[in-house]
Amino acid sequence: METMSILILAIPLFMFILLGLTGMKMSHKLAGTLGCLGMGTTLVLAYTVAFTYFFGGSPEFINAAGERLQSILWNVTWLQFTDKLVIRLGFLLDPISAMMLVVITTISFMVHLYSMGYMRDHHGVFEKGFQRFYSFLSLFSFSMLGLVVATNIFQMYIFWELVGASSFLLIGFYYTKPSAVLASKKAFIVTRFADLGFLIGILVLSYYTGTFNFTELTSAPVEGLANVFQVSETTAEGVKGIFANSAAPLFMGASVMTWALVLIFMGGMGKSAMMPLHIWLPDAMEGPTPVSALIHAATMVVAGVYLVARLFPLYLMEIRSLEIVTVVGAVTALYAAIVACTQVDIKRVLAFSTISQIAFMMVSLGVARPEFHHGIGYMAGMFHLFTHAMFKALLFLCAGALIHAIGSNDYTAMHGLRKYMPITHITFLIGCLAIAGIIPFAGFFSKDEILTACFGNSMLWYVWMSAVAGLTAFYMFRLYYLIFWWKEHKIPEGHHAPHDQPWTMTLPLVILAAISCVAGFVPFGNLVTWNGHPMFDHVSFFTNLVHLDWTVAAVSLAVAIIAIIIATVMYRKENPLPAKFKNAMPALWTWAYHRFYFDELYMFITKKIIFDHICKPIAWFDRHIIDGTMDMFAKVTQRLSISIRGLQSGNVQTYVWIYLVGALLMASIVWLCLL
């Protein structure tokens, strides 16, 4: 197991180095094949480790009571500051890291395979930089895998930043395209601001607790087993006690622990594109579509959710921090859903859908309480992370197939494609049904569990998130009908009709569609819970159906069906209803179409306020006062040197006379002083 865990990280890193250094000397096909083989091997190893953890029955992974344990497979010292303050690099295997191993490697392998067809034109010519693209994919996979198996929060931060760097490289892959360059810089800068808060939170937390290790912050050792731990409320209470007994327990009305957790959550807000740090994600669609599927649908953007889940026992100790998570998530979910209803670029619709769904997961963690269904919100959030990764990656890859066939991101160029691209049509429909929450597709089960958690916490959040779920169903089927059902465009003479793409692009769609159909039946309640305790006594294929809260499920299903019916009436065929809807609320539609002018607001703040009113005066002061003062000294020195350079005549007799005169003057001064 230890060897396999090392290889899971080592193989993607090796492929990055190999393809990065020697890729240009390989053929495009060889580079792509090596990338796929490397990721395929990592996939097999990750699946083996995950299935061994969940179903192997080892006492290192599950105890006699059926409770899931945390096992550190290896942990090496990197930096040691004090006896207690040590930074280690290791591999932590527990329910959420095992789940993420499956998610990351599955989506990454599908993207690797898909890119073999996507990254070349209709004539089979590979894009420039194809080898570099696969190198960057391997780097990102390595970074994300290192993040989720981190044994301590500083190791997570290291890989967190590496994920940001690799994301920057992939978003800006088309470096000759100005919009892609701007998008990559925007993503990098926005997330760096968030990561600064994350770093400060880490330092505050480690300063008071004296440790970076997750197991020391949230867990207790299991007696009789080395490097095996179990999530413990007692440990979290002890951490809270450390902060409560500190010299400065309060700052601006909140405890230092609350501030530490909120600052850490700030890092998660940036990575997961939560308001107001969401502006980078829609623009990141400038990167290749497989990048969108990998980074911005299934893996990178869930890092914030994973961070909160990893430290969830601490967040439970500070309910106010969880309330902040809930509010931020709920506002973001509604905002993104409204904006998605007005976009015409299919990738931007999916981008705002991603923001909304990630916010769904945040809300689920925020409303989770142990006293209600054993903290069902935590399980539901992780369940939705798993299912969403599959059907959202499916939707993005379908979008890529459409763009590859049509040559445009705009839905107005894609009407009536169900006749020409039947496989893409069916798989896209499955993705829409899954994200809309229609039984028995995957999204139905995870979304229902989230709404159940909201219902148990607050009626406000239940109604709020139900409305978001309805909007989700509406805008996804709006997109579906506009692409596949509206009156088809006449194919220009001399152009080929759109068609399904090669098997390298089609096979991932079929696999992800199949997973989206059955993933909802995975008994997550017995695999992933916040404290490792199983939620069900007996499990079967129909466990999730049996244990559903059918009151909540029936309402959410009705909301989704009504939303789909409305979308069907408005968009199944060309009619004046969309225009009437737009004209009925022109201000709201305009604001939503322009993303509520957040980008313009940021530009105003940065350019008009920061640059013009703060940076320009500072630049003037630096240029005229600081530099001017230094220039003045230089000029004075230069003029003095010119005025006295005549003394350097080269005549030795003159130098002797000056020396004698100087000596006499010095002697006179000394004599006068002695009188």
Side-chain angles (χ1 to χ4, degrees):
M1 185 70 81
E2 181 178 341
T3 303
M4 285 192 289
S5 65
I6 294 173
L7 289 174
I8 287 172
L9 297 177
I11 292 175
L13 178 61
F14 173 75
M15 295 310 302
F16 161 65
I17 297 172
L18 177 66
L19 295 174
L21 295 179
T22 65
M24 294 303 294
K25 298 179 181 178
M26 304 178 184
S27 67
H28 296 82
K29 200 168 198 177
L30 177 60
T33 303
L34 286 175
C36 291
L37 286 174
M39 200 63 239
T41 306
T42 307
L43 171 75
V44 173
L45 293 172
Y47 270 58
T48 302
V49 170
F51 275 75
T52 302
Y53 176 81
F54 284 124
F55 308 112
S58 171
E60 296 179 356
F61 305 142
I62 187 169
N63 62 18
E67 299 167 342
R68 301 288 174 186
L69 306 175
Q70 298 177 318
S71 181
I72 297 178
L73 301 186
W74 51 272
N75 210 21
V76 296
T77 299
W78 182 43
L79 296 173
Q80 184 164 352
F81 300 100
T82 66
D83 292 337
K84 290 185 175 181
L85 201 58
V86 181
I87 298 177
R88 293 186 175 90
L89 300 177
F91 195 107
L92 176 62
L93 189 60
D94 71 345
I96 56 174
S97 64
M99 176 202 68
M100 288 301 296
L101 288 178
V102 173
V103 170
I104 295 169
T105 55
T106 300
I107 304 303
S108 185
F109 179 70
M110 293 296 121
V111 167
H112 275 72
L113 182 59
Y114 182 91
S115 298
M116 289 287 288
Y118 184 87
M119 298 300 288
R120 53 182 172 177
D121 61 23
H122 296 286
H123 303 289
V125 179
F126 289 91
E127 290 197 25
K128 182 181 179 182
F130 181 83
Q131 301 95 327
R132 172 168 53 90
F133 178 75
Y134 269 84
S135 176
F136 292 165
L137 285 181
S138 298
L139 175 63
F140 176 82
S141 300
F142 162 71
S143 307
M144 197 67 205
L145 288 168
L147 188 155
V148 300
V149 301
T151 59
N152 60 83
I153 196 167
F154 213 93
Q155 179 186 345
M156 178 181 279
Y157 181 77
I158 294 169
F159 282 96
W160 189 278
E161 294 300 317
L162 197 54
V163 164
S166 53
S167 172
F168 168 81
L169 295 172
L170 285 167
I171 296 170
F173 174 75
Y174 297 125
Y175 59 87
T176 57
K177 186 179 177 184
S179 58
V181 174
L182 290 174
S184 63
K185 291 192 291 185
K186 188 176 185 178
F188 192 80
I189 293 170
V190 172
T191 53
R192 291 294 73 72
F193 276 107
D195 294 349
L196 176 61
F198 185 20
L199 179 60
I200 295 172
I202 292 173
L203 296 176
V204 172
L205 186 66
S206 62
Y207 175 80
Y208 284 101
T209 60
T211 184
F212 293 119
N213 298 329
F214 291 127
T215 52
E216 295 180 25
L217 293 170
T218 63
S219 311
V222 176
E223 189 176 351
L225 294 172
N227 295 320
V228 179
F229 303 82
Q230 185 172 9
V231 172
S232 171
E233 292 182 70
T234 304
T235 303
E237 286 283 6
V239 172
K240 184 180 181 181
I242 292 173
F243 280 90
N245 297 323
S246 66
L250 294 177
F251 178 69
M252 296 178 63
S255 71
V256 177
M257 185 176 179
T258 300
W259 276 105
L261 293 175
V262 170
L263 285 168
I264 289 172
F265 173 61
M266 181 179 171
M269 288 172 61
K271 271 293 187 287
S272 294
M274 297 291 100
M275 291 180 66
L277 302 174
H278 66 284
I279 59 171
W280 67 270
L281 185 60
D283 288 356
M285 298 300 108
E286 293 291 340
T289 303
V291 171
S292 303
L294 177 63
I295 297 180
H296 311 120
T299 52
M300 174 182 165
V301 290
V302 302
V305 179
Y306 182 84
L307 175 63
V308 176
R310 174 59 69 197
L311 294 174
F312 187 72
L314 295 185
Y315 279 94
L316 273 181
M317 297 301 105
E318 290 292 332
I319 297 300
R320 280 193 292 179
S321 61
L322 276 183
E323 290 173 349
I324 292 172
V325 172
T326 304
V327 172
V328 170
V331 172
T332 303
L334 182 60
Y335 159 81
I338 293 173
V339 173
C341 293
T342 62
Q343 302 301 300
V344 297
D345 186 314
I346 60 172
K347 288 180 68 176
R348 278 178 167 71
V349 174
L350 295 178
F352 280 102
S353 172
T354 297
I355 296 173
S356 184
Q357 294 301 301
I358 298 297
F360 239 100
M361 304 170 203
M362 286 292 191
V363 171
S364 186
L365 291 174
V367 300
R369 301 292 185 273
E371 60 270 17
F372 183 74
H373 288 343
H374 307 288
I376 190 175
Y378 179 96
M379 184 277 292
M382 296 299 98
F383 194 10
H384 200 59
L385 188 157
F386 176 77
T387 60
H388 173 264
M390 303 304 166
F391 58 69
K392 184 54 65 70
L394 167 63
L395 290 167
F396 264 107
L397 295 184
C398 284
L402 293 166
I403 294 168
H404 201 263
I406 302 299
S408 173
N409 293 19
D410 196 324
Y411 73 76
T412 58
M414 301 181 180
H415 302 329
L417 291 181
R418 71 187 188 281
K419 299 177 183 179
Y420 302 102
M421 305 178 70
I423 297 176
T424 307
H425 168 230
I426 296 299
T427 52
F428 192 91
L429 177 59
I430 290 172
C432 290
L433 291 169
I435 195 172
I438 302 300
I439 192 169
F441 299 95
F444 166 77
F445 296 94
S446 55
K447 182 192 73 172
D448 179 73
E449 301 290 11
I450 292 175
L451 293 177
T452 300
C454 292
F455 184 78
N457 182 274
S458 167
M459 183 58 67
L460 169 64
W461 298 132
Y462 170 67
V463 174
W464 187 292
M465 299 312 294
S466 295
V468 174
L471 285 172
T472 302
F474 172 79
Y475 67 68
M476 286 308 306
F477 273 85
R478 167 185 176 267
L479 185 64
Y480 164 72
Y481 285 122
L482 287 172
I483 294 172
F484 294 102
W485 283 85
W486 269 33
K487 184 179 179 182
E488 61 188 81
H489 292 293
K490 185 178 180 181
I491 300 170
E493 189 175 347
H495 287 69
H496 296 288
H499 55 84
D500 282 316
Q501 301 305 302
W503 72 270
T504 54
M505 296 176 65
T506 303
L507 182 60
L509 303 185
V510 175
I511 294 173
L512 290 171
I515 296 173
S516 299
C517 291
V518 301
F521 294 95
V522 176
F524 241 69
N526 272 37
L527 300 177
V528 180
T529 57
W530 79 273
N531 57 2
H533 292 268
M535 295 181 64
F536 314 126
D537 294 328
H538 304 284
V539 296
S540 67
F541 185 76
F542 298 103
T543 295
N544 290 341
L545 279 173
V546 173
H547 289 88
L548 279 176
D549 186 334
W550 282 102
T551 303
V552 175
V555 173
S556 66
L557 189 60
V559 169
I561 292 172
I562 291 171
I564 292 172
I565 291 172
I566 295 172
T568 303
V569 172
M570 293 181 65
Y571 297 104
R572 186 176 179 273
K573 59 182 180 180
E574 199 168 354
N575 64 82
L577 286 177
K580 289 181 179 179
F581 179 76
K582 175 183 175 181
N583 295 330
M585 296 179 288
L588 177 60
W589 192 93
T590 302
W591 277 69
Y593 180 76
H594 291 95
R595 314 177 197 178
F596 288 86
Y597 297 98
F598 267 96
D599 288 85
E600 288 78 3
L601 176 62
Y602 272 95
M603 286 299 297
F604 175 79
I605 293 172
T606 54
K607 190 175 186 302
K608 297 295 183 180
I609 298 178
I610 298 176
F611 290 168
D612 291 350
H613 293 88
I614 298 176
C615 295
K616 280 187 178 180
I618 293 174
W620 183 91
F621 182 83
D622 178 69
R623 185 168 53 255
H624 292 88
I625 305 300
I626 305 299
D627 291 350
T629 302
M630 295 298 104
D631 291 343
M632 181 192 70
F633 284 134
K635 289 179 180 178
V636 170
T637 303
Q638 184 182 24
R639 290 184 178 182
L640 284 174
S641 67
I642 292 171
S643 63
I644 65 174
R645 68 185 179 183
L647 298 174
Q648 301 291 328
S649 63
N651 192 317
V652 177
Q653 293 88 340
T654 303
Y655 297 161
V656 171
W657 277 109
I658 293 172
Y659 175 79
L660 291 173
V661 171
L664 288 172
L665 286 173
M666 291 294 296
S668 302
I669 293 170
V670 171
W671 181 74
L672 290 172
C673 292
L674 293 175
L675 290 178

